[in-house]
mmCIF file of all heavy atoms in Angstrom:
data_model
loop_
_atom_site.group_PDB
_atom_site.id
_atom_site.type_symbol
_atom_site.label_atom_id
_atom_site.label_comp_id
_atom_site.label_asym_id
_atom_site.label_seq_id
_atom_site.Cartn_x
_atom_site.Cartn_y
_atom_site.Cartn_z
ATOM 1 N N ALA A 1 -0.957 -8.549 -17.615
ATOM 2 C CA ALA A 1 -1.114 -10.005 -17.639
ATOM 3 C C ALA A 1 -2.440 -10.447 -18.233
ATOM 4 O O ALA A 1 -2.583 -11.604 -18.646
ATOM 5 C CB ALA A 1 -0.982 -10.564 -16.219
ATOM 6 N N VAL A 2 -3.415 -9.544 -18.304
ATOM 7 C CA VAL A 2 -4.722 -9.888 -18.888
ATOM 8 C C VAL A 2 -4.564 -10.379 -20.326
ATOM 9 O O VAL A 2 -5.341 -11.207 -20.805
ATOM 10 C CB VAL A 2 -5.666 -8.666 -18.833
ATOM 11 C CG1 VAL A 2 -6.912 -8.902 -19.695
ATOM 12 C CG2 VAL A 2 -6.083 -8.392 -17.399
ATOM 13 N N GLU A 3 -3.538 -9.894 -21.018
ATOM 14 C CA GLU A 3 -3.309 -10.318 -22.403
ATOM 15 C C GLU A 3 -3.065 -11.816 -22.494
ATOM 16 O O GLU A 3 -3.311 -12.424 -23.538
ATOM 17 C CB GLU A 3 -2.123 -9.550 -22.988
ATOM 18 C CG GLU A 3 -2.368 -8.048 -23.098
ATOM 19 C CD GLU A 3 -1.176 -7.323 -23.705
ATOM 20 O OE1 GLU A 3 -0.234 -8.015 -24.161
ATOM 21 O OE2 GLU A 3 -1.193 -6.076 -23.722
ATOM 22 N N ALA A 4 -2.580 -12.392 -21.399
ATOM 23 C CA ALA A 4 -2.354 -13.840 -21.383
ATOM 24 C C ALA A 4 -3.587 -14.594 -20.895
ATOM 25 O O ALA A 4 -3.573 -15.824 -20.814
ATOM 26 C CB ALA A 4 -1.160 -14.170 -20.489
ATOM 27 N N GLY A 5 -4.645 -13.863 -20.566
ATOM 28 C CA GLY A 5 -5.873 -14.482 -20.069
ATOM 29 C C GLY A 5 -6.280 -13.897 -18.731
ATOM 30 O O GLY A 5 -5.427 -13.651 -17.869
ATOM 31 N N TYR A 6 -7.582 -13.676 -18.570
ATOM 32 C CA TYR A 6 -8.061 -13.040 -17.349
ATOM 33 C C TYR A 6 -7.779 -13.881 -16.118
ATOM 34 O O TYR A 6 -7.434 -13.356 -15.049
ATOM 35 C CB TYR A 6 -9.565 -12.766 -17.459
ATOM 36 C CG TYR A 6 -10.146 -12.102 -16.226
ATOM 37 C CD1 TYR A 6 -9.720 -10.838 -15.821
ATOM 38 C CD2 TYR A 6 -11.098 -12.750 -15.445
ATOM 39 C CE1 TYR A 6 -10.229 -10.229 -14.693
ATOM 40 C CE2 TYR A 6 -11.625 -12.153 -14.313
ATOM 41 C CZ TYR A 6 -11.185 -10.893 -13.941
ATOM 42 O OH TYR A 6 -11.685 -10.299 -12.815
ATOM 43 N N LEU A 7 -7.889 -15.193 -16.226
ATOM 44 C CA LEU A 7 -7.640 -16.064 -15.075
ATOM 45 C C LEU A 7 -6.189 -15.954 -14.614
ATOM 46 O O LEU A 7 -5.903 -16.037 -13.413
ATOM 47 C CB LEU A 7 -7.984 -17.514 -15.418
ATOM 48 C CG LEU A 7 -9.472 -17.817 -15.608
ATOM 49 C CD1 LEU A 7 -9.683 -19.286 -15.945
ATOM 50 C CD2 LEU A 7 -10.267 -17.454 -14.357
ATOM 51 N N PHE A 8 -5.288 -15.774 -15.567
ATOM 52 C CA PHE A 8 -3.879 -15.614 -15.203
ATOM 53 C C PHE A 8 -3.694 -14.337 -14.393
ATOM 54 O O PHE A 8 -2.978 -14.312 -13.386
ATOM 55 C CB PHE A 8 -3.018 -15.573 -16.474
ATOM 56 C CG PHE A 8 -1.544 -15.457 -16.205
ATOM 57 C CD1 PHE A 8 -0.815 -16.558 -15.771
ATOM 58 C CD2 PHE A 8 -0.888 -14.245 -16.361
ATOM 59 C CE1 PHE A 8 0.554 -16.442 -15.517
ATOM 60 C CE2 PHE A 8 0.471 -14.125 -16.102
ATOM 61 C CZ PHE A 8 1.192 -15.231 -15.680
ATOM 62 N N ALA A 9 -4.345 -13.259 -14.831
ATOM 63 C CA ALA A 9 -4.265 -11.994 -14.097
ATOM 64 C C ALA A 9 -4.948 -12.118 -12.737
ATOM 65 O O ALA A 9 -4.469 -11.592 -11.732
ATOM 66 C CB ALA A 9 -4.906 -10.873 -14.907
ATOM 67 N N LEU A 10 -6.065 -12.831 -12.706
ATOM 68 C CA LEU A 10 -6.831 -12.976 -11.468
ATOM 69 C C LEU A 10 -6.035 -13.724 -10.401
ATOM 70 O O LEU A 10 -6.239 -13.519 -9.198
ATOM 71 C CB LEU A 10 -8.138 -13.713 -11.748
ATOM 72 C CG LEU A 10 -9.281 -13.507 -10.741
ATOM 73 C CD1 LEU A 10 -9.678 -12.041 -10.707
ATOM 74 C CD2 LEU A 10 -10.475 -14.370 -11.104
ATOM 75 N N ALA A 11 -5.117 -14.581 -10.838
ATOM 76 C CA ALA A 11 -4.291 -15.330 -9.884
ATOM 77 C C ALA A 11 -3.405 -14.401 -9.059
ATOM 78 O O ALA A 11 -2.924 -14.781 -7.986
ATOM 79 C CB ALA A 11 -3.437 -16.354 -10.629
ATOM 80 N N LEU A 12 -3.187 -13.195 -9.559
ATOM 81 C CA LEU A 12 -2.355 -12.223 -8.846
ATOM 82 C C LEU A 12 -3.159 -11.365 -7.868
ATOM 83 O O LEU A 12 -2.602 -10.505 -7.199
ATOM 84 C CB LEU A 12 -1.649 -11.304 -9.851
ATOM 85 C CG LEU A 12 -0.743 -12.001 -10.870
ATOM 86 C CD1 LEU A 12 -0.236 -10.990 -11.890
ATOM 87 C CD2 LEU A 12 0.423 -12.674 -10.170
ATOM 88 N N THR A 13 -4.478 -11.602 -7.793
ATOM 89 C CA THR A 13 -5.342 -10.759 -6.974
ATOM 90 C C THR A 13 -4.960 -10.780 -5.501
ATOM 91 O O THR A 13 -4.872 -9.729 -4.854
ATOM 92 C CB THR A 13 -6.812 -11.192 -7.128
ATOM 93 O OG1 THR A 13 -7.216 -11.038 -8.482
ATOM 94 C CG2 THR A 13 -7.721 -10.341 -6.244
ATOM 95 N N LEU A 14 -4.743 -11.971 -4.952
ATOM 96 C CA LEU A 14 -4.458 -12.066 -3.524
ATOM 97 C C LEU A 14 -3.165 -11.347 -3.145
ATOM 98 O O LEU A 14 -3.176 -10.509 -2.228
ATOM 99 C CB LEU A 14 -4.407 -13.532 -3.079
ATOM 100 C CG LEU A 14 -4.124 -13.754 -1.581
ATOM 101 C CD1 LEU A 14 -5.174 -13.058 -0.728
ATOM 102 C CD2 LEU A 14 -4.069 -15.249 -1.269
ATOM 103 N N PRO A 15 -2.020 -11.631 -3.796
ATOM 104 C CA PRO A 15 -0.809 -10.878 -3.426
ATOM 105 C C PRO A 15 -0.951 -9.383 -3.663
ATOM 106 O O PRO A 15 -0.472 -8.575 -2.867
ATOM 107 C CB PRO A 15 0.294 -11.486 -4.303
ATOM 108 C CG PRO A 15 -0.411 -12.219 -5.383
ATOM 109 C CD PRO A 15 -1.714 -12.669 -4.812
ATOM 110 N N ALA A 16 -1.637 -8.984 -4.740
ATOM 111 C CA ALA A 16 -1.824 -7.556 -5.004
ATOM 112 C C ALA A 16 -2.678 -6.915 -3.906
ATOM 113 O O ALA A 16 -2.407 -5.800 -3.464
ATOM 114 C CB ALA A 16 -2.477 -7.348 -6.376
ATOM 115 N N GLY A 17 -3.715 -7.644 -3.476
ATOM 116 C CA GLY A 17 -4.556 -7.138 -2.398
ATOM 117 C C GLY A 17 -3.789 -6.981 -1.098
ATOM 118 O O GLY A 17 -3.979 -6.012 -0.361
ATOM 119 N N LEU A 18 -2.894 -7.921 -0.822
ATOM 120 C CA LEU A 18 -2.095 -7.843 0.399
ATOM 121 C C LEU A 18 -1.074 -6.700 0.325
ATOM 122 O O LEU A 18 -0.798 -6.037 1.323
ATOM 123 C CB LEU A 18 -1.399 -9.180 0.652
ATOM 124 C CG LEU A 18 -2.318 -10.335 1.042
ATOM 125 C CD1 LEU A 18 -1.528 -11.643 1.153
ATOM 126 C CD2 LEU A 18 -3.042 -10.050 2.357
ATOM 127 N N PHE A 19 -0.526 -6.467 -0.865
ATOM 128 C CA PHE A 19 0.379 -5.318 -1.028
ATOM 129 C C PHE A 19 -0.373 -4.009 -0.800
ATOM 130 O O PHE A 19 0.144 -3.082 -0.179
ATOM 131 C CB PHE A 19 1.014 -5.322 -2.421
ATOM 132 C CG PHE A 19 2.234 -6.199 -2.537
ATOM 133 C CD1 PHE A 19 2.265 -7.254 -3.427
ATOM 134 C CD2 PHE A 19 3.352 -5.943 -1.756
ATOM 135 C CE1 PHE A 19 3.396 -8.057 -3.533
ATOM 136 C CE2 PHE A 19 4.495 -6.748 -1.854
ATOM 137 C CZ PHE A 19 4.502 -7.802 -2.744
ATOM 138 N N LEU A 20 -1.609 -3.941 -1.320
ATOM 139 C CA LEU A 20 -2.417 -2.736 -1.116
ATOM 140 C C LEU A 20 -2.748 -2.557 0.359
ATOM 141 O O LEU A 20 -2.746 -1.436 0.880
ATOM 142 C CB LEU A 20 -3.706 -2.827 -1.939
ATOM 143 C CG LEU A 20 -4.619 -1.595 -1.891
ATOM 144 C CD1 LEU A 20 -3.885 -0.345 -2.348
ATOM 145 C CD2 LEU A 20 -5.871 -1.825 -2.732
ATOM 146 N N LEU A 21 -3.013 -3.656 1.050
ATOM 147 C CA LEU A 21 -3.259 -3.592 2.491
ATOM 148 C C LEU A 21 -2.040 -3.034 3.220
ATOM 149 O O LEU A 21 -2.167 -2.194 4.124
ATOM 150 C CB LEU A 21 -3.593 -4.982 3.027
ATOM 151 C CG LEU A 21 -3.744 -5.111 4.547
ATOM 152 C CD1 LEU A 21 -4.922 -4.289 5.051
ATOM 153 C CD2 LEU A 21 -3.901 -6.578 4.949
ATOM 154 N N ARG A 22 -0.855 -3.473 2.825
ATOM 155 C CA ARG A 22 0.363 -2.970 3.469
ATOM 156 C C ARG A 22 0.526 -1.464 3.211
ATOM 157 O O ARG A 22 0.930 -0.720 4.112
ATOM 158 C CB ARG A 22 1.585 -3.740 2.972
ATOM 159 C CG ARG A 22 2.892 -3.264 3.636
ATOM 160 C CD ARG A 22 4.053 -4.169 3.267
ATOM 161 N NE ARG A 22 5.327 -3.580 3.667
ATOM 162 C CZ ARG A 22 5.903 -3.725 4.860
ATOM 163 N NH1 ARG A 22 5.301 -4.441 5.793
ATOM 164 N NH2 ARG A 22 7.069 -3.171 5.129
ATOM 165 N N LEU A 23 0.190 -1.019 2.010
ATOM 166 C CA LEU A 23 0.247 0.410 1.732
ATOM 167 C C LEU A 23 -0.714 1.186 2.634
ATOM 168 O O LEU A 23 -0.386 2.270 3.127
ATOM 169 C CB LEU A 23 -0.088 0.683 0.265
ATOM 170 C CG LEU A 23 0.960 0.273 -0.767
ATOM 171 C CD1 LEU A 23 0.479 0.614 -2.171
ATOM 172 C CD2 LEU A 23 2.294 0.960 -0.488
ATOM 173 N N PHE A 24 -1.901 0.631 2.852
ATOM 174 C CA PHE A 24 -2.859 1.287 3.746
ATOM 175 C C PHE A 24 -2.307 1.374 5.164
ATOM 176 O O PHE A 24 -2.491 2.383 5.854
ATOM 177 C CB PHE A 24 -4.185 0.525 3.752
ATOM 178 C CG PHE A 24 -5.203 1.116 4.697
ATOM 179 C CD1 PHE A 24 -5.972 2.200 4.314
ATOM 180 C CD2 PHE A 24 -5.372 0.602 5.970
ATOM 181 C CE1 PHE A 24 -6.902 2.760 5.184
ATOM 182 C CE2 PHE A 24 -6.284 1.154 6.850
ATOM 183 C CZ PHE A 24 -7.055 2.238 6.455
ATOM 184 N N LEU A 25 -1.620 0.335 5.603
ATOM 185 C CA LEU A 25 -1.084 0.336 6.963
ATOM 186 C C LEU A 25 0.126 1.265 7.091
ATOM 187 O O LEU A 25 0.387 1.802 8.172
ATOM 188 C CB LEU A 25 -0.737 -1.094 7.380
ATOM 189 C CG LEU A 25 -1.983 -1.966 7.565
ATOM 190 C CD1 LEU A 25 -1.613 -3.446 7.697
ATOM 191 C CD2 LEU A 25 -2.784 -1.519 8.777
ATOM 192 N N ILE A 26 0.855 1.480 6.001
ATOM 193 C CA ILE A 26 1.887 2.519 6.015
ATOM 194 C C ILE A 26 1.222 3.885 6.120
ATOM 195 O O ILE A 26 1.665 4.755 6.875
ATOM 196 C CB ILE A 26 2.771 2.422 4.758
ATOM 197 C CG1 ILE A 26 3.621 1.148 4.803
ATOM 198 C CG2 ILE A 26 3.673 3.645 4.637
ATOM 199 C CD1 ILE A 26 4.413 0.879 3.540
ATOM 200 N N GLN A 27 0.125 4.072 5.375
ATOM 201 C CA GLN A 27 -0.655 5.304 5.489
ATOM 202 C C GLN A 27 -1.158 5.480 6.924
ATOM 203 O O GLN A 27 -1.174 6.595 7.454
ATOM 204 C CB GLN A 27 -1.842 5.256 4.523
ATOM 205 C CG GLN A 27 -2.733 6.491 4.569
ATOM 206 C CD GLN A 27 -3.953 6.353 3.668
ATOM 207 O OE1 GLN A 27 -4.114 5.376 2.933
ATOM 208 N NE2 GLN A 27 -4.838 7.338 3.722
ATOM 209 N N HIS A 28 -1.550 4.394 7.547
ATOM 210 C CA HIS A 28 -2.009 4.412 8.948
ATOM 211 C C HIS A 28 -0.919 4.952 9.864
ATOM 212 O O HIS A 28 -1.157 5.827 10.700
ATOM 213 C CB HIS A 28 -2.408 2.992 9.349
ATOM 214 C CG HIS A 28 -2.496 2.759 10.815
ATOM 215 N ND1 HIS A 28 -1.415 2.323 11.563
ATOM 216 C CD2 HIS A 28 -3.523 2.876 11.692
ATOM 217 C CE1 HIS A 28 -1.775 2.191 12.828
ATOM 218 N NE2 HIS A 28 -3.055 2.524 12.938
ATOM 219 N N ASP A 29 0.306 4.480 9.696
ATOM 220 C CA ASP A 29 1.406 4.969 10.533
ATOM 221 C C ASP A 29 1.743 6.424 10.224
ATOM 222 O O ASP A 29 2.132 7.182 11.114
ATOM 223 C CB ASP A 29 2.648 4.091 10.338
ATOM 224 C CG ASP A 29 2.742 3.014 11.410
ATOM 225 O OD1 ASP A 29 1.678 2.600 11.913
ATOM 226 O OD2 ASP A 29 3.861 2.586 11.745
ATOM 227 N N CYS A 30 1.585 6.823 8.953
ATOM 228 C CA CYS A 30 1.784 8.238 8.615
ATOM 229 C C CYS A 30 0.797 9.099 9.388
ATOM 230 O O CYS A 30 1.135 10.193 9.864
ATOM 231 C CB CYS A 30 1.602 8.452 7.114
ATOM 232 S SG CYS A 30 2.927 7.783 6.096
ATOM 233 N N GLY A 31 -0.437 8.622 9.531
ATOM 234 C CA GLY A 31 -1.446 9.359 10.276
ATOM 235 C C GLY A 31 -1.086 9.550 11.730
ATOM 236 O O GLY A 31 -1.486 10.538 12.359
ATOM 237 N N HIS A 32 -0.335 8.606 12.271
ATOM 238 C CA HIS A 32 0.135 8.720 13.655
ATOM 239 C C HIS A 32 1.441 9.509 13.749
ATOM 240 O O HIS A 32 1.955 9.732 14.849
ATOM 241 C CB HIS A 32 0.347 7.331 14.259
ATOM 242 C CG HIS A 32 -0.928 6.635 14.626
ATOM 243 N ND1 HIS A 32 -1.742 7.065 15.650
ATOM 244 C CD2 HIS A 32 -1.523 5.521 14.102
ATOM 245 C CE1 HIS A 32 -2.783 6.257 15.749
ATOM 246 N NE2 HIS A 32 -2.681 5.321 14.822
ATOM 247 N N GLY A 33 1.991 9.895 12.599
ATOM 248 C CA GLY A 33 3.256 10.619 12.601
ATOM 249 C C GLY A 33 4.435 9.753 12.981
ATOM 250 O O GLY A 33 5.451 10.268 13.482
ATOM 251 N N SER A 34 4.341 8.444 12.719
ATOM 252 C CA SER A 34 5.378 7.534 13.209
ATOM 253 C C SER A 34 6.199 6.855 12.118
ATOM 254 O O SER A 34 7.261 6.301 12.403
ATOM 255 C CB SER A 34 4.734 6.437 14.081
ATOM 256 O OG SER A 34 3.808 5.677 13.329
ATOM 257 N N PHE A 35 5.731 6.875 10.861
ATOM 258 C CA PHE A 35 6.446 6.125 9.832
ATOM 259 C C PHE A 35 7.767 6.805 9.461
ATOM 260 O O PHE A 35 8.799 6.160 9.320
ATOM 261 C CB PHE A 35 5.571 5.964 8.597
ATOM 262 C CG PHE A 35 6.185 5.099 7.536
ATOM 263 C CD1 PHE A 35 6.362 3.736 7.741
ATOM 264 C CD2 PHE A 35 6.591 5.638 6.333
ATOM 265 C CE1 PHE A 35 6.933 2.934 6.768
ATOM 266 C CE2 PHE A 35 7.164 4.845 5.348
ATOM 267 C CZ PHE A 35 7.333 3.484 5.578
ATOM 268 N N LEU A 36 7.736 8.130 9.295
ATOM 269 C CA LEU A 36 8.924 8.916 8.987
ATOM 270 C C LEU A 36 9.214 9.880 10.138
ATOM 271 O O LEU A 36 8.383 10.058 11.030
ATOM 272 C CB LEU A 36 8.719 9.697 7.684
ATOM 273 C CG LEU A 36 8.409 8.844 6.448
ATOM 274 C CD1 LEU A 36 8.018 9.720 5.273
ATOM 275 C CD2 LEU A 36 9.591 7.955 6.086
ATOM 276 N N LYS A 37 10.357 10.509 10.116
ATOM 277 C CA LYS A 37 10.761 11.364 11.236
ATOM 278 C C LYS A 37 9.984 12.680 11.279
ATOM 279 O O LYS A 37 9.635 13.166 12.345
ATOM 280 C CB LYS A 37 12.263 11.643 11.168
ATOM 281 C CG LYS A 37 13.130 10.428 11.481
ATOM 282 C CD LYS A 37 14.604 10.792 11.474
ATOM 283 C CE LYS A 37 15.464 9.586 11.825
ATOM 284 N NZ LYS A 37 16.918 9.928 11.850
ATOM 285 N N LYS A 38 9.729 13.282 10.097
ATOM 286 C CA LYS A 38 9.113 14.599 10.061
ATOM 287 C C LYS A 38 7.612 14.493 9.825
ATOM 288 O O LYS A 38 7.160 13.694 9.012
ATOM 289 C CB LYS A 38 9.755 15.460 8.975
ATOM 290 C CG LYS A 38 11.220 15.779 9.248
ATOM 291 C CD LYS A 38 11.787 16.684 8.170
ATOM 292 C CE LYS A 38 13.251 17.037 8.456
ATOM 293 N NZ LYS A 38 13.818 17.918 7.402
ATOM 294 N N ARG A 39 6.847 15.327 10.526
ATOM 295 C CA ARG A 39 5.395 15.335 10.407
ATOM 296 C C ARG A 39 4.961 15.610 8.976
ATOM 297 O O ARG A 39 4.072 14.948 8.438
ATOM 298 C CB ARG A 39 4.833 16.416 11.332
ATOM 299 C CG ARG A 39 3.324 16.571 11.286
ATOM 300 C CD ARG A 39 2.662 15.570 12.200
ATOM 301 N NE ARG A 39 1.746 14.720 11.490
ATOM 302 C CZ ARG A 39 0.949 13.839 12.075
ATOM 303 N NH1 ARG A 39 0.980 13.693 13.384
ATOM 304 N NH2 ARG A 39 0.138 13.082 11.388
ATOM 305 N N ALA A 40 5.589 16.618 8.334
ATOM 306 C CA ALA A 40 5.202 16.979 6.964
ATOM 307 C C ALA A 40 5.451 15.822 6.004
ATOM 308 O O ALA A 40 4.649 15.579 5.086
ATOM 309 C CB ALA A 40 5.965 18.216 6.510
ATOM 310 N N SER A 41 6.545 15.105 6.195
ATOM 311 C CA SER A 41 6.853 13.962 5.323
ATOM 312 C C SER A 41 5.807 12.872 5.489
ATOM 313 O O SER A 41 5.355 12.268 4.504
ATOM 314 C CB SER A 41 8.241 13.412 5.652
ATOM 315 O OG SER A 41 9.229 14.397 5.473
ATOM 316 N N ASN A 42 5.419 12.609 6.731
ATOM 317 C CA ASN A 42 4.359 11.640 6.984
ATOM 318 C C ASN A 42 3.067 12.055 6.292
ATOM 319 O O ASN A 42 2.394 11.230 5.661
ATOM 320 C CB ASN A 42 4.114 11.512 8.497
ATOM 321 C CG ASN A 42 5.124 10.612 9.181
ATOM 322 O OD1 ASN A 42 5.162 9.413 8.956
ATOM 323 N ND2 ASN A 42 5.953 11.203 10.029
ATOM 324 N N ASP A 43 2.711 13.325 6.405
ATOM 325 C CA ASP A 43 1.443 13.799 5.861
ATOM 326 C C ASP A 43 1.402 13.701 4.339
ATOM 327 O O ASP A 43 0.399 13.244 3.764
ATOM 328 C CB ASP A 43 1.191 15.246 6.298
ATOM 329 C CG ASP A 43 0.843 15.355 7.768
ATOM 330 O OD1 ASP A 43 0.486 14.330 8.373
ATOM 331 O OD2 ASP A 43 0.938 16.464 8.329
ATOM 332 N N TRP A 44 2.474 14.097 3.664
ATOM 333 C CA TRP A 44 2.453 14.065 2.202
ATOM 334 C C TRP A 44 2.503 12.639 1.667
ATOM 335 O O TRP A 44 1.848 12.322 0.666
ATOM 336 C CB TRP A 44 3.589 14.909 1.630
ATOM 337 C CG TRP A 44 3.264 16.368 1.673
ATOM 338 C CD1 TRP A 44 3.809 17.316 2.481
ATOM 339 C CD2 TRP A 44 2.268 17.028 0.892
ATOM 340 N NE1 TRP A 44 3.223 18.541 2.260
ATOM 341 C CE2 TRP A 44 2.271 18.401 1.285
ATOM 342 C CE3 TRP A 44 1.367 16.609 -0.101
ATOM 343 C CZ2 TRP A 44 1.402 19.333 0.719
ATOM 344 C CZ3 TRP A 44 0.508 17.549 -0.669
ATOM 345 C CH2 TRP A 44 0.526 18.883 -0.264
ATOM 346 N N LEU A 45 3.241 11.772 2.347
ATOM 347 C CA LEU A 45 3.223 10.373 1.936
ATOM 348 C C LEU A 45 1.842 9.772 2.176
ATOM 349 O O LEU A 45 1.317 9.024 1.338
ATOM 350 C CB LEU A 45 4.279 9.580 2.719
ATOM 351 C CG LEU A 45 4.332 8.070 2.430
ATOM 352 C CD1 LEU A 45 4.594 7.810 0.948
ATOM 353 C CD2 LEU A 45 5.390 7.391 3.286
ATOM 354 N N GLY A 46 1.242 10.108 3.316
ATOM 355 C CA GLY A 46 -0.094 9.612 3.615
ATOM 356 C C GLY A 46 -1.122 10.060 2.595
ATOM 357 O O GLY A 46 -1.986 9.277 2.179
#
């Protein structure tokens, strides 16, 4: 989107940041072994 202007790309910062936060919280649940059924699956996804 930067090709259309940096401000246009910057407008996507907040939703992108929130998506990244959600990924971190999925990683958080992997650390607890709770997101997926198998421990190894949690660890590799984390």
Side-chain angles (χ1 to χ4, degrees):
V2 168
E3 296 181 7
Y6 180 63
L7 291 180
F8 182 76
L10 202 62
L12 301 174
T13 298
L14 180 58
L18 291 175
F19 276 120
L20 183 57
L21 174 64
R22 181 172 169 88
L23 288 180
F24 178 82
L25 291 168
I26 291 174
Q27 179 184 355
H28 162 270
D29 264 29
C30 289
H32 285 292
S34 61
F35 185 68
L36 301 171
K37 290 183 178 181
K38 295 182 179 180
R39 178 84 238 186
S41 300
N42 280 293
D43 288 343
W44 282 109
L45 177 58

